[in-house]
Amino acid sequence: MKPIKKHIEEVSNNGIKILLKKFFNLFKECLNFYKKFIFLIKLGLIFAFYEKRNDKIPVKKKILLGCIVWGESYIRKLTEVSFPSYFSKNNIPKLIKEGYEIELIIITEPNDNYKQIFLDILENLLIKNKLSLKDLKIEFIFKEQMNYDNLSSYMICHFEESIKRDSIWFWLCPDILITDGSVTNLVSMIDSNDCCVGTPVFRVKRSEFLREFKNKDNTKENILMLSFKHFFSDIVNSFKTKQSNINNNVSWTTGISIEKSNIGYLATNTLPAVWCAKIIKSDIQYYKKYRANIHDHLWPSKLLIERRLRVVSSSDLCFAVELTEENSIKYPKLNRLGYWHKLRDYPLRYNFENRRNIHSVVMGSFNYHINYDKN
């Protein structure tokens, strides 16, 4: 900090412009102070006094499966991996047999060939579980020239339909594989008419994983075994071991750090992805205000403050993996992180690489038990 005499000297030499500049810099510093401290206090007060109003409203046995897919690569992932895992014995088919009214809304680009492929695969999966297409309502919404910049508007479309139908919204993501029984368990966690359920998602190397996944066995045991063999680099670097170099560990770029426990592994994750929810109108307003990546980054902050977020605590309830292309390394160089690597074990951490919001991290550091012993 400069001495006062130095400031006076600069103002005398440079006139009113430098004085205005100094006032502006002082204002910016005050604003930063507000952001770093007062804002966190404000969040705490909102959380403390937020009044939940939907605790006692019963949840109807209706589910809207929301699927957004375009492009040959993602369509292939959806048909070969996601559909079979979501429609395995103890997932969607079990819910149908338990009396749930389920509707699948697929937002995709107009293509009659792909539409028929979707229907044929879904019919075969349902027949395999002694069901038919009559047991699943399917609707297509066609959009021209789909792109990632419009993802929020596609999500809003699903949200609006789920409110209209008074259904639980469930995210059917084309590059996600979910273990058998996970869908049923997540739905069972919806305990109020505004509840949302989040779970960590672990990235795996797509080609290597699928090479050993030819039998389509999505039992927890098989998926955990394959995942530990083929975790993507950022997840591998999230493991805390005696041999690991802390400067090379980038666990907090994924929001996850993992360490061996007496039984399995303990993963600390800062931002679980919301996988199913009872949507309310303010969620739609939130998506209209912010960009598409709020599904992962901002939306959980809102749900935390409103006491609406429940988080999966164990792979026994749900284990999900994201099939990631080998050439999509998001963090080839981490020069900007610098000494912040030293803070990787702190639950309070801000991510410069993917702009995770500090209030999400402060208010949400969750433990997740991976019930697996690779030895």
Side-chain angles (χ1 to χ4, degrees):
M1 182 180 290
K2 293 180 183 179
I4 295 177
K5 286 184 179 180
K6 183 68 174 177
H7 285 292
I8 295 173
E9 183 181 333
E10 289 179 353
V11 172
S12 300
N13 295 335
N14 299 287
I16 190 69
K17 285 186 177 180
I18 192 69
L19 181 63
L20 292 174
K21 184 178 179 181
K22 288 181 180 294
F23 274 119
F24 179 72
N25 289 337
L26 178 62
F27 173 76
K28 284 204 307 184
E29 288 299 320
C30 292
L31 193 62
N32 286 334
F33 177 84
Y34 169 80
K35 286 182 178 179
K36 291 178 180 178
F37 298 102
I38 300 177
F39 182 57
L40 296 180
I41 296 172
K42 176 185 173 184
L43 285 173
L45 291 173
I46 293 173
F47 179 78
F49 294 104
Y50 186 87
E51 182 181 354
K52 279 183 64 64
R53 299 176 181 176
N54 297 326
D55 284 352
K56 297 181 180 179
I57 301 175
V59 180
K60 294 182 179 179
K61 298 180 76 170
K62 298 175 68 177
I63 298 172
L64 186 147
L65 293 172
C67 179
I68 302 167
V69 63
W70 72 93
E72 185 178 345
S73 173
Y74 280 93
I75 288 173
R76 187 169 62 251
K77 291 177 185 178
L78 175 67
T79 55
E80 294 178 1
V81 179
S82 292
F83 272 167
S85 71
Y86 277 79
F87 285 85
S88 60
K89 179 181 177 181
N90 292 304
N91 282 333
I92 299 300
K94 183 176 180 180
L95 290 171
I96 293 174
K97 292 175 182 179
E98 289 179 354
Y100 277 84
E101 181 182 327
I102 299 180
E103 182 170 2
L104 169 61
I105 297 182
I106 301 175
I107 299 178
T108 187
E109 294 179 333
N111 186 307
D112 290 338
N113 183 43
Y114 283 140
K115 178 181 177 181
Q116 192 57 51
I117 289 173
F118 293 153
L119 292 172
D120 290 344
I121 289 173
L122 289 168
E123 184 176 25
N124 289 333
L125 290 169
L126 289 168
I127 290 173
K128 185 178 178 181
N129 288 282
K130 299 180 180 180
L131 297 167
S132 70
L133 282 178
K134 294 180 181 179
D135 299 303
L136 176 70
K137 296 180 181 179
I138 304 174
E139 180 181 337
F140 290 88
I141 297 176
F142 296 112
K143 303 282 187 179
E144 297 284 352
Q145 298 180 336
M146 293 177 68
N147 62 78
Y148 186 79
D149 291 336
N150 292 326
L151 183 58
S152 287
S153 65
Y154 307 147
M155 299 288 287
I156 288 170
C157 182
H158 281 149
F159 288 176
E160 289 174 339
E161 293 300 322
S162 71
I163 290 178
K164 189 186 302 181
R165 292 162 169 77
D166 195 14
S167 298
I168 298 169
W169 167 80
F170 202 104
W171 181 224
L172 201 165
C173 188
D175 58 352
I176 295 293
L177 189 155
I178 196 165
T179 53
D180 190 39
S182 292
V183 175
T184 311
N185 290 335
L186 292 179
V187 169
S188 70
M189 291 177 69
I190 299 289
D191 61 356
S192 64
N193 212 38
D194 63 356
C195 180
C196 304
V197 179
T199 185
V201 178
F202 300 86
R203 302 206 304 167
V204 295
K205 292 180 282 188
R206 177 183 173 275
S207 296
E208 285 90 336
F209 186 95
L210 293 182
R211 196 175 295 127
E212 295 190 53
F213 188 63
K214 294 178 180 178
N215 59 358
K216 309 294 184 186
D217 176 12
N218 71 322
T219 58
K220 287 190 287 286
E221 295 76 15
N222 189 49
I223 299 305
L224 282 166
M225 182 269 293
L226 292 178
S227 298
F228 270 77
K229 288 176 67 175
H230 304 298
F231 275 137
F232 205 74
S233 58
D234 53 5
I235 301 297
V236 172
N237 289 331
S238 296
F239 282 83
K240 294 167 59 178
T241 65
K242 293 180 181 178
Q243 292 77 28
S244 64
N245 183 344
I246 197 167
N247 291 321
N248 294 328
N249 190 307
V250 293
S251 64
W252 56 286
T253 60
T254 63
I256 295 175
S257 64
I258 306 170
E259 58 185 312
K260 187 77 175 70
S261 64
N262 292 332
I263 304 175
Y265 293 82
L266 183 66
T268 301
N269 61 99
T270 56
L271 277 176
V274 179
W275 229 250
C276 68
K278 278 293 290 181
I279 303 297
I280 60 178
K281 290 182 179 179
S282 66
D283 296 323
I284 294 175
Q285 294 166 359
Y286 205 76
Y287 263 72
K288 286 180 178 179
K289 183 177 180 180
Y290 296 103
R291 58 186 181 178
N293 74 348
I294 62 170
H295 180 69
D296 293 319
H297 297 179
L298 300 185
W299 192 29
S301 307
K302 173 182 183 293
L303 302 178
L304 277 168
I305 292 170
E306 296 175 353
R307 300 184 184 181
R308 295 171 54 201
L309 182 64
R310 298 191 68 186
V311 180
V312 172
S313 59
S314 171
S315 61
D316 289 341
L317 294 174
C318 174
F319 187 75
V321 296
E322 177 183 348
L323 302 174
T324 307
E325 304 291 350
E326 285 71 12
N327 61 357
S328 63
I329 299 175
K330 294 175 67 176
Y331 314 110
K333 294 182 180 179
L334 295 168
N335 296 331
R336 281 190 291 156
L337 298 180
Y339 73 94
W340 287 94
H341 278 300
K342 298 175 183 178
L343 304 181
R344 62 168 294 280
D345 291 325
Y346 284 51
L348 171 58
R349 49 188 181 260
Y350 178 75
N351 189 326
F352 291 96
E353 288 298 319
N354 57 13
R355 307 301 181 192
R356 293 181 188 274
N357 287 269
I358 191 166
H359 50 290
S360 295
V361 179
V362 170
M363 299 186 70
S365 186
F366 305 97
N367 288 331
Y368 175 87
H369 178 246
I370 305 174
N371 189 6
Y372 176 75
D373 191 343
K374 64 179 180 179
N375 298 322

